[in-house]
Amino acid sequence: MPHSYGTRARTRHMFAKKFRQHGPVNLSQYLMNVKVGDYVDIFANPSIHKGMPHKGYHGRTGIVFNVTKSAVGVRVNKLVNGRIIEKRIHVRIEHVRASKCQKEILQRKKDNEAAKDEARKTGVKVNLKRTPKLPKAGYFLAAPGGDGAEITTIQPLPFSDLV
Amino acid sequence: GALSVTMPFVKVQKNRAYFSRYQVKYRRRREGKTDYRQRKRLCAQDKNKYQSPKYRLVVRFTNKQVICQIAYALVDGDRILAQATSKELPRYGLKVGLKNYAAAYCTGLLVARRVLQKLGLDDVYEGNTEVDGEVVSTEYDKKMYFVEEVDDDKRPFRCFLDVGCKATTTGNRIFGALKGAADGGIDVPHSEKRFPGYDRDAKEYDADMHRERIFGGHVGEYMEYLDEEDNQKYQEHFASYIAADVAPDSLEELYESVHEAIREDPKPSEKSQFSPDKSFKRKAKITLDERKARVQAKKDAKNAELEAEDDE
């Protein structure tokens, strides 16, 4: 049980800038396109002190519910006392990144729509389901001593023979 | 040892550790060309204005010309809406003094008219046809616009002055370009505080003094002064003016005609076809040995020279 509970307690490493990445924020961060409903990662930028999220939200992903002049309101899920509460925090855009968590889903949606269109046109049935990683297919192993060499098979002796 | 006895032990500052830990500043900061603090405040748009561009009037001076651009920032680079350089002014009748205050004014005027024509606003917003050096602003809908009249349908084109790495002193040529653009009809928020003719102690603005400067009055005065005092210097200094038949008292007319010509046809000139010289081949880089031989040859030549001098 620590003796201090200040807002930035225990953030020595979390709120440290990475090696050789100190200094000003890139302008592209400010030109980021954020709309209500976008998924967004909260990633605190320790060089910008205003509008910094609390350390508990660092690394969380949420949905934007509000856009103001230089900040963004994000709905984040927080685990409190065994239940999950939806919290709404406002955070400056320097501490926010466009999340790629939906990227694959949205891409697949697009691809599936295209595949469905194709299927409707050509009449060829299309399987849109994803398959999980299946076990490796069988294969032939090259014999260690060359092609015609004798392969010795060894197996353990049954216990009765040893006694 | 080899070290001189008088030199104390000095730790090598730029050792391997230094270089491997060194973080370079942004490239354009290293080149001294961009002030990123200023850039962030100029280019970044309010998030609740989403992707609407924030235009800025970029004014830069080189040794030979004035460059004015209307630019806006995108993630993969800035885009330029319109550009004008004072090298284009000969097309409108101004062949000399392409980097003075009056030329900056003309270039600002040119870029403003060009942008407005491109956007179809040039009839709606004509700006100041009578140049008097005054700052114009109107209130419309509880907001300040720096044009004479605000049209009901089409709001004026708003731009912010981008000064770059220059010092914003009173009377700077940058503000000449600003005035030219403002008189051209674009809405650039500004005040008269940095125009020539502003008295800091009395907090008064003398629009006439500014007007004189816009029409090259200060140049004309100097020409007359030199002509009387030191004619030879006058011939040297203003050689191009004399060659172009520009007399000190004809400067105002000249600039007025240039302004008119600009308003008439601000369209950029046609792009000339560029056909590269196919036979051009880059010279191969010289090797280290060749480089050393060159240095040695220069040293030998210099030594021979000095010896010859000694003999004399």
Side-chain angles (χ1 to χ4, degrees), chain A residues 19-28 30-36 67-71 93-94, chain B residues 19-24 26 36 39-41 43-51 73-76 78:
Chain A
F19 181 57
R20 285 199 299 209
Q21 285 175 24
H22 293 250
V25 176
N26 223 327
L27 194 71
S28 50
Y30 292 102
L31 296 172
M32 199 167 66
N33 187 6
V34 206
K35 314 185 300 290
V36 171
V67 175
T68 65
K69 174 171 160 285
S70 33
I93 19 148
E94 293 94 323
Chain B
F19 285 117
S20 50
R21 290 194 64 80
Y22 187 77
Q23 181 190 335
V24 286
Y26 286 154
Y36 278 97
R39 185 172 156 79
K40 180 237 168 185
R41 283 156 176 78
C43 304
Q45 177 66 282
D46 297 350
K47 289 290 111 195
N48 46 9
K49 296 188 189 157
Y50 298 98
Q51 296 300 85
L74 288 181
V75 174
D76 49 353
D78 287 3

Side-chain angles (χ1 to χ4, degrees), chain B residues 37-279:
Chain B
R37 197 184 147 84
Q38 183 191 73
R39 185 172 156 79
K40 180 237 168 185
R41 283 156 176 78
L42 264 181
C43 304
Q45 177 66 282
D46 297 350
K47 289 290 111 195
N48 46 9
K49 296 188 189 157
Y50 298 98
Q51 296 300 85
S52 47
K54 209 163 186 177
Y55 299 102
R56 45 189 229 280
L57 172 65
V58 177
V59 182
R60 299 285 185 270
F61 290 88
T62 71
N63 279 341
K64 296 197 180 152
Q65 60 174 318
V66 183
I67 306 174
C68 287
Q69 296 176 325
I70 309 265
Y72 59 101
L74 288 181
V75 174
D76 49 353
D78 287 3
R79 299 273 182 276
I80 308 288
L81 254 194
Q83 160 168 312
T85 63
S86 56
K87 289 276 180 192
E88 299 179 55
L89 293 178
R91 189 180 135 209
Y92 297 100
L94 182 66
K95 296 193 182 44
V96 282
L98 295 180
K99 49 187 174 98
N100 61 21
Y101 196 93
Y105 180 92
C106 292
T107 318
L109 178 64
L110 181 53
V111 88
R113 294 314 297 167
R114 206 164 262 182
V115 134
L116 290 177
Q117 189 186 58
K118 189 169 189 182
L119 299 173
L121 290 171
D122 56 349
D123 291 321
V124 185
Y125 289 104
E126 278 191 22
N128 259 351
T129 34
E130 284 179 33
V131 184
D132 59 355
E134 294 282 356
V135 175
V136 183
S137 65
T138 356
E139 235 199 81
Y140 182 88
D141 237 353
K142 286 181 264 164
K143 286 199 207 144
M144 241 350 186
Y145 293 97
F146 287 80
V147 283
E148 261 189 66
E149 245 187 79
V150 177
D151 187 63
D152 283 326
D153 294 323
K154 299 189 173 176
R155 278 177 298 122
F157 180 79
R158 180 157 252 202
C159 228
F160 304 100
L161 181 67
D162 181 348
V163 144
C165 291
K166 280 275 188 177
T168 50
T169 48
T170 314
N172 202 321
R173 288 173 291 162
I174 299 171
F175 301 109
L178 166 66
K179 190 74 178 91
D183 284 350
I186 59 180
D187 173 19
V188 194
H190 62 286
S191 81
E192 72 264 7
K193 209 171 93 161
R194 288 298 177 194
F195 284 150
Y198 182 79
D199 187 355
R200 200 168 52 152
D201 303 313
K203 294 216 169 65
E204 272 171 16
Y205 175 54
D206 184 3
D208 281 325
M209 204 166 132
H210 191 190
R211 189 193 176 284
E212 238 199 80
R213 225 173 158 87
I214 292 173
F215 287 107
H218 57 299
V219 180
E221 264 184 46
Y222 188 51
M223 281 170 87
E224 284 174 0
Y225 167 81
L226 262 195
D227 199 4
E228 273 184 43
E229 294 287 314
D230 188 350
N231 196 290
Q232 213 202 12
K233 191 168 175 195
Y234 171 67
Q235 301 286 341
E236 279 175 30
H237 199 75
F238 287 101
S240 46
Y241 279 70
I242 298 171
D245 241 351
V246 173
D249 43 5
S250 70
L251 275 176
E252 176 154 343
E253 274 173 42
L254 173 64
Y255 285 118
E256 262 183 33
S257 69
V258 174
H259 297 165
E260 261 184 52
I262 288 175
R263 278 176 185 280
E264 233 191 82
D265 182 27
K267 223 158 169 219
S269 50
E270 292 290 321
K271 269 198 190 167
S272 55
Q273 284 287 19
F274 174 68
S275 45
D277 183 10
K278 299 272 174 158
S279 62

Side-chain angles (χ1 to χ4, degrees), chain A residues 99-116:
Chain A
S99 185
K100 292 191 208 156
C101 61
Q102 289 262 293
K103 182 169 143 193
E104 211 206 277
I105 297 173
L106 294 172
Q107 186 59 43
R108 212 157 53 81
K109 215 172 170 179
K110 257 199 241 159
D111 291 342
N112 283 351
E113 289 299 316
K116 272 195 259 182

